[in-house]
Amino acid sequence: VFRMLRSRSALLLHRLCTIPSTSSSVSSHSLPTVKPLEDELPTPAQPRPFSGPSFRVPVSKKRAPRKELGIIVTDDNLQQWVKMEPRGLASSYLQLSKSKLTMFITTTAVAGYMMGPGSIDYFALAACTGGTFLLSSAANACNQLLEAPYDAQMKRTQSRVLVVHRFSPLHAFSFAGVSTLTGTALLLQFTNPMTAALGLLNLFLYAGVYTPMKRTTIACTWAGAVVGAIPPLMGYAAAAGTLDTAALTLAAILYSWQFPHFNGLSWNLRGDYSKAGYRVMCVTDEALCRRTSIRHALSLVGLCSIAAPLTDLTTMTFAVDSLPLNAALVYLSWKFYRAPDAKNSRQLFFFSLLYLPLIMVLMVISNGGRNKEEKARKDGRTAAAIDGPLATD
């Protein structure tokens, strides 16, 4: 009994003297689960107040519209560069050759042939016409090959065949090469080497000189005027086999005509030309553009009424017959110079399209009997007509 009382008293003394431990050795079920109070929770860091100007950012569930950049983005399918369909192929070739411009240039070559001395060889005239057409087509195809990236930026040229990938560059280059070889062969075989050399020179000047100059210097307009003056020289050389002062006068008339014609055309397109980076007169120097138009319109009066008869290109009848057309061109150029607006520039351009065919028709009419062979035949027919009745009497 004594031992039992002593062990129980020792156990009771041990429990009274023991301090509860908060170490990790205490089991989790011995601690009470009490929910912490709200003021005992850690408070998050408060953001600093914004001291700048207050504004509201509009929030919309709708997606903002995509900004239009005005860039043509076509399907990048490579099959478009090589797949050719027979339907519409001929019209695409005509577009690649700029058929309207090419026909206009060919007409000036035909007029040059008609103005040449000697009798008309219709077979040589057909060869000159075909060769000029083919070489002009090749030059225009090369021009579009070089300017396709810039044509895509202009409204007037955005639908060209190379811009819309109707032709591949290799296809267009092949067309230009075949046209060059065929046209040169026609001129060499059926006219003379001088005509073929002038055709190749014109191709080089248009594609290799004038086209790159359009993006570098204002002198491109003068280079383009030289290009426009060579086709009538080709026709004249095909008929005469040589060039003389009369041929140079004919080329000078075509050279001066280029300025009122092109300046009237380009004036309303100067925004597009500027966007594409072309340094033509209407973009870089508007005053010079207007002065040049009236200056060359006045020079056409002297070329037609003075130089043409003096060089035996035409008779004196042409000097008088051409005055109304030249007076109208001077008047429209003067209006464009005084008030360079869209209406006056458009009137000048459209009249220049009418002026050139009419002036060439008057040249051909007045050219009858100009050269020595025709004069001899005409004098022989006149003498026979006079001697005939006398011999009968």
Side-chain angles (χ1 to χ4, degrees):
V1 175
F2 176 78
R3 289 181 179 177
M4 184 179 63
L5 293 174
R6 190 175 61 179
S7 60
R8 288 184 178 180
S9 60
L11 180 60
L12 180 60
L13 180 62
H14 174 72
R15 289 182 177 179
L16 293 175
C17 296
T18 302
I19 301 174
S21 175
T22 59
S23 64
S24 59
S25 61
V26 180
S27 61
S28 60
H29 66 274
S30 62
L31 299 175
T33 56
V34 181
K35 184 178 180 181
L37 299 177
E38 293 183 0
D39 54 355
E40 297 178 353
L41 293 175
T43 57
Q46 297 295 330
R48 297 177 61 185
F50 179 70
S51 59
S54 61
F55 60 91
R56 296 181 61 187
V57 178
V59 178
S60 176
K61 295 182 179 180
K62 295 182 179 180
R63 183 176 296 178
R66 185 174 298 175
K67 184 179 180 182
E68 297 293 337
L69 298 179
I71 299 176
I72 296 179
V73 180
T74 58
D75 187 5
D76 57 353
N77 186 4
L78 295 180
Q79 293 298 325
Q80 290 188 5
W81 289 107
V82 295
K83 184 178 180 180
M84 300 299 302
E85 297 180 0
R87 185 180 63 181
L89 189 60
S91 64
S92 297
Y93 280 131
L94 291 177
Q95 294 178 37
L96 183 63
S97 63
K98 299 182 184 178
S99 58
K100 294 181 180 179
L101 176 61
T102 296
M103 287 296 298
F104 203 79
I105 292 172
T106 306
T107 302
T108 63
V110 172
Y113 188 94
M114 301 294 290
M115 295 300 297
S119 59
I120 298 176
D121 183 352
Y122 292 98
F123 195 77
L125 176 60
C128 178
T129 303
T132 304
F133 185 90
L134 289 172
L135 286 174
S136 177
S137 300
N140 287 318
C142 293
N143 172 265
Q144 293 189 56
L145 272 171
L146 295 173
E147 292 186 344
Y150 316 114
D151 287 341
Q153 304 176 42
M154 300 175 61
K155 293 180 180 180
R156 188 173 66 96
T157 56
Q158 282 180 349
S159 60
R160 286 182 175 175
V161 289
L162 287 175
V163 176
V164 299
H165 295 184
R166 178 73 175 103
F167 286 156
S168 67
L170 179 60
H171 193 135
F173 183 78
S174 301
F175 169 80
V178 172
S179 299
T180 301
L181 293 176
T182 308
T184 306
L186 277 175
L187 296 177
L188 279 174
Q189 184 67 27
F190 301 108
T191 58
N192 50 63
M194 178 177 287
T195 308
L198 286 172
L200 291 176
L201 174 63
N202 209 31
L203 170 62
F204 169 74
L205 289 177
Y206 186 72
V209 178
Y210 167 71
T211 300
M213 283 179 67
K214 288 168 66 176
R215 297 183 56 81
T216 56
T217 175
I218 195 175
C220 63
T221 307
W222 282 264
V226 173
V227 172
I230 290 180
L233 289 180
M234 294 173 60
Y236 195 99
T242 185
L243 298 178
D244 52 15
T245 54
L248 297 179
T249 302
L250 178 62
I253 292 174
L254 269 293
Y255 176 84
S256 290
W257 170 83
Q258 301 283 328
F259 291 91
H261 169 72
F262 180 73
N263 291 343
L265 168 67
S266 62
W267 186 263
N268 291 330
L269 302 173
R270 59 188 186 276
D272 271 355
Y273 280 119
S274 177
K275 185 191 304 182
Y278 292 128
R279 299 183 60 81
V280 291
M281 268 192 291
C282 62
V283 175
T284 58
D285 196 337
E286 295 183 356
L288 179 62
C289 178
R290 293 149 52 197
R291 291 196 306 268
T292 307
S293 300
I294 191 170
R295 185 183 304 158
H296 283 274
L298 289 171
S299 67
L300 283 171
V301 179
L303 288 171
C304 294
S305 297
I306 300 175
L310 288 180
T311 58
D312 204 24
L313 177 65
T314 63
T315 59
M316 287 301 299
T317 57
F318 175 75
V320 179
D321 294 340
S322 61
L323 281 176
L325 289 174
N326 286 320
L329 186 65
V330 170
Y331 171 70
L332 292 176
S333 299
W334 173 253
K335 284 182 62 179
F336 174 64
Y337 174 76
R338 292 295 301 271
D341 53 17
K343 179 182 177 181
N344 290 333
S345 62
R346 193 179 297 112
Q347 287 179 350
L348 177 62
F349 168 69
F350 283 115
F351 182 78
S352 68
L353 292 177
L354 181 65
Y355 171 90
L356 190 61
L358 291 178
I359 209 74
M360 289 190 297
V361 169
L362 292 177
M363 280 185 184
V364 173
I365 293 174
S366 67
N367 189 42
R370 179 182 65 85
N371 59 75
K372 296 179 180 180
E373 295 179 4
E374 291 183 357
K375 285 181 179 179
R377 287 196 299 269
K378 184 178 179 181
D379 293 341
R381 289 193 299 268
T382 304
I386 295 174
D387 295 339
L390 294 177
T392 303
D393 292 340

